Amino acid sequence: MLNLLQPLLNRLPVVSPGSRSLRRHLLSWLLLPQLVLWLAAAAVTYNVAVRYADRANDHGLYLSSRALARQVKPIDSGLLVDFPRAAKDIIEADPDDRVYYMVSSPPGEFILGNHKLPPPPEAADTLRPDRPTFYDGQVDTSDGSSVQVRVAAILLDYGEPSLQQRMLVQVAKSRVSREALARNILIDTVLPLSVLVLAMSALVWAGVRTGLAPLARLREAVSGRGPNDLAPIELHSAPEEVRDLAAAVNTLLAAVHASVVEQRRFISDAAHQLRTPLAGLKSQSELALKEATEPALRARLERVRESAARSAHLVTQLLTLARAEPESLATLGRSRFDLRRLVQDLTAEMVPRALGEGIDLGMDGGDTPDGASDQDTDDDTPLCPLTMEGNALLIREAIVNLIDNAIRYAGRGTEITVRVRPDPDLQDMALVEVDDTGPGLPVALHTQVFDRFFRGTNEGRGCGLGLAIVKEIVERHRGRVQVASLHPRGLRVQIRLPQSVRAFT
């Protein structure tokens, strides 16, 4: 059997698990051999069915040849043929499975029959008397066609012992009934075998699926995480191989987490250490500016003061960005607060700075109690509360960076409008918009502007972290931030925040 199956097994595709899915690889090597074995079993079953059909057919032919021989009776030195018409009609009754017969006396003297049958493969004189011989042959019919038949031949002795003669009795039958019997045996055997193979294939598929389920859970546990989620993977009920893989991944995550924590701690410590000398440098440069009278010296001191202010701003931004990271954010907690009151207070605090830059900063109060919308709302204007759940300190930092970014890049003589209202398109979402009438930003840079240290223009005194911090904080609150151009000129930065945040991500 192995020798028969070896050529088929050699033709099976050799597939490396790395070139396709592991599930397909396992199913290929588990199901394809079943198919090969099913085909081999069908071939063996058909051969067995043919052999048994031949055995049953041969037995019937042997009985028929014996019955025919009894119709030929030796008398004296001759033969008496007692073959009534009724018996002949019975033998020749089935047109689809005809029976051919012939009685002859070797070497070929025809005595009785309805057709000339092919001789046995052995010579007549070598046949053993009273021992039937079975063989396949071909009979030519009167219409010019040929019929494949199974022939039973038996050699009988008759006559006086001193003058003994031999008689060859041949009975042939077409192979229709034999093939039908073999086919029925094959069908009756292959159908249950096919059902069994299908059931085994279903069990194999279910077993492979169940066995690979821990890998699917591991994939979901890894792919469903955020880019900053470095918590260990939990797969306690997984097989040993998957647990080893999860343990290796957890070891890698722990190493990455330790490296990230160390890096953030270094940034935070460095920023804290730099704030004091930078503040002192800024103060000393301002004092030196007041005392200096020479124009060239004052110009140099002014550049020193601007550099110190920009460095101090960068340090502050780095500290804010460090607080917006997941580990720091989780320790700060969350609370419910009035987003509209928070934005109103921030806008009022930054009005003096905007006036110093020659910018008109105001707030559109949105929905007031009487339904009006007031421009340049002051602190005494009553506003409808717009409560949300989150970290008020970080949301404050995000709004401060939005307004600060607009002040830095809008330019003198422009207007900045801050707006807070419920999102008209999404339920349970709050919308904060900061519009300016400055030069705007090319559409191609609307996405890149949220990258860290990216600046859309060389104008202004920013460090390229403002909108990156806004994006980080908003996304940690499961919100969205986007930039849109205003017509005829200007830029709008819009953030959407859920009014209820279950957990920080």
Side-chain angles (χ1 to χ4, degrees), residues 34-46 185-201:
Q34 289 189 31
L35 178 60
V36 173
L37 291 176
W38 179 83
L39 294 175
V44 171
T45 301
Y46 183 74
I185 295 175
L186 177 64
I187 293 174
D188 292 341
T189 305
V190 170
L191 282 180
L193 183 62
S194 301
V195 174
L196 179 62
V197 169
L198 290 177
M200 291 179 61
S201 300

Side-chain angles (χ1 to χ4, degrees), residues 136-158:
D136 293 325
Q138 180 175 299
V139 174
D140 296 328
T141 61
S142 57
D143 58 359
S145 60
S146 60
V147 178
Q148 299 296 324
V149 294
R150 180 73 170 173
V151 184
I154 184 171
L155 190 64
L156 301 174
D157 294 332
Y158 70 94

Side-chain angles (χ1 to χ4, degrees), residues 9-40:
L9 294 176
N10 292 337
R11 294 183 180 181
L12 291 178
V14 179
V15 183
S16 172
S19 63
R20 59 189 300 182
S21 69
L22 183 59
R23 176 177 299 174
R24 291 182 181 178
H25 180 76
L26 292 176
L27 289 176
S28 297
W29 281 101
L30 290 174
L31 296 181
L32 286 180
Q34 289 189 31
L35 178 60
V36 173
L37 291 176
W38 179 83
L39 294 175

Side-chain angles (χ1 to χ4, degrees), residues 81-154:
V81 178
D82 184 12
F83 194 51
R85 181 69 181 179
K88 179 180 179 182
D89 292 340
I90 292 174
I91 294 178
E92 300 177 357
D94 190 355
D96 296 329
D97 194 12
R98 291 198 58 183
V99 176
Y100 306 93
Y101 59 93
M102 187 178 75
V103 179
S104 61
S105 178
E109 296 180 4
F110 182 81
I111 299 174
L112 173 67
N114 64 351
H115 218 285
K116 185 174 179 59
L117 297 180
E122 299 87 2
D125 54 357
T126 61
L127 295 177
R128 300 180 62 181
D130 296 329
R131 294 288 300 271
T133 300
F134 303 97
Y135 58 94
D136 293 325
Q138 180 175 299
V139 174
D140 296 328
T141 61
S142 57
D143 58 359
S145 60
S146 60
V147 178
Q148 299 296 324
V149 294
R150 180 73 170 173
V151 184
I154 184 171

Side-chain angles (χ1 to χ4, degrees), residues 54-55 57-67 69 120-124 126-136 150-156 167-171:
D54 281 342
R55 185 177 299 177
N57 197 34
D58 291 349
H59 182 69
L61 291 175
Y62 172 70
L63 295 178
S64 298
S65 64
R66 279 294 186 183
E122 299 87 2
T126 61
L127 295 177
R128 300 180 62 181
D130 296 329
R131 294 288 300 271
T133 300
F134 303 97
Y135 58 94
D136 293 325
R150 180 73 170 173
V151 184
I154 184 171
L155 190 64
L156 301 174
M167 176 177 60
L168 179 62
V169 179
Q170 294 174 281
V171 179

Side-chain angles (χ1 to χ4, degrees), residues 78-334:
L79 294 173
L80 174 62
V81 178
D82 184 12
F83 194 51
R85 181 69 181 179
K88 179 180 179 182
D89 292 340
I90 292 174
I91 294 178
E92 300 177 357
D94 190 355
D96 296 329
D97 194 12
R98 291 198 58 183
V99 176
Y100 306 93
Y101 59 93
M102 187 178 75
V103 179
S104 61
S105 178
E109 296 180 4
F110 182 81
I111 299 174
L112 173 67
N114 64 351
H115 218 285
K116 185 174 179 59
L117 297 180
E122 299 87 2
D125 54 357
T126 61
L127 295 177
R128 300 180 62 181
D130 296 329
R131 294 288 300 271
T133 300
F134 303 97
Y135 58 94
D136 293 325
Q138 180 175 299
V139 174
D140 296 328
T141 61
S142 57
D143 58 359
S145 60
S146 60
V147 178
Q148 299 296 324
V149 294
R150 180 73 170 173
V151 184
I154 184 171
L155 190 64
L156 301 174
D157 294 332
Y158 70 94
E160 298 296 333
S162 60
L163 187 59
Q164 193 174 40
Q165 300 184 41
R166 289 186 172 182
M167 176 177 60
L168 179 62
V169 179
Q170 294 174 281
V171 179
K173 192 175 183 180
S174 66
R175 293 192 292 188
V176 174
S177 60
R178 183 189 70 166
E179 293 176 355
L181 179 59
R183 185 167 56 251
N184 291 333
I185 295 175
L186 177 64
I187 293 174
D188 292 341
T189 305
V190 170
L191 282 180
L193 183 62
S194 301
V195 174
L196 179 62
V197 169
L198 290 177
M200 291 179 61
S201 300
L203 290 176
V204 168
W205 182 84
V208 170
R209 182 178 181 182
T210 303
L212 296 180
L215 289 179
R217 290 195 295 269
L218 177 61
R219 180 191 62 192
E220 294 174 358
V222 174
S223 62
R225 293 178 170 222
N228 296 310
D229 187 1
L230 300 177
I233 300 171
E234 297 182 2
L235 280 177
H236 301 296
S237 60
E240 181 179 355
E241 293 79 6
V242 179
R243 285 201 302 269
D244 293 341
L245 176 61
V249 174
N250 288 338
T251 301
L252 177 61
L253 290 176
V256 174
H257 180 268
S259 176
V260 171
V261 169
E262 186 65 26
Q263 182 182 11
R264 290 170 182 164
R265 184 183 296 113
F266 171 77
I267 294 175
S268 179
D269 294 344
H272 277 293
Q273 294 297 325
L274 287 173
R275 292 181 69 178
T276 300
L278 287 176
L281 178 61
K282 182 180 178 182
S283 299
Q284 293 298 324
S285 61
E286 290 175 351
L287 292 175
L289 275 173
K290 293 180 180 179
E291 298 175 358
T293 57
E294 185 179 350
L297 179 61
R298 288 185 60 86
R300 293 189 182 94
L301 290 175
E302 182 64 29
R303 285 196 293 272
V304 171
R305 187 187 68 82
E306 291 179 357
S307 298
R310 186 170 180 175
S311 299
H313 177 67
L314 175 60
V315 170
T316 302
Q317 296 287 65
L318 289 174
L319 286 174
T320 303
L321 193 61
R323 286 196 298 268
E325 296 294 341
E327 289 77 8
S328 301
L329 185 59
T331 60
L332 293 177
R334 64 180 187 272

Side-chain angles (χ1 to χ4, degrees), residues 444-470:
L445 301 180
H446 283 186
T447 302
Q448 301 180 34
V449 76
F450 295 106
D451 296 339
R452 296 182 181 183
F453 300 104
F454 177 83
R455 298 181 64 192
T457 177
N458 293 326
E459 301 295 331
R461 301 178 304 277
C463 57
L465 283 176
L467 292 182
I469 292 174
V470 173

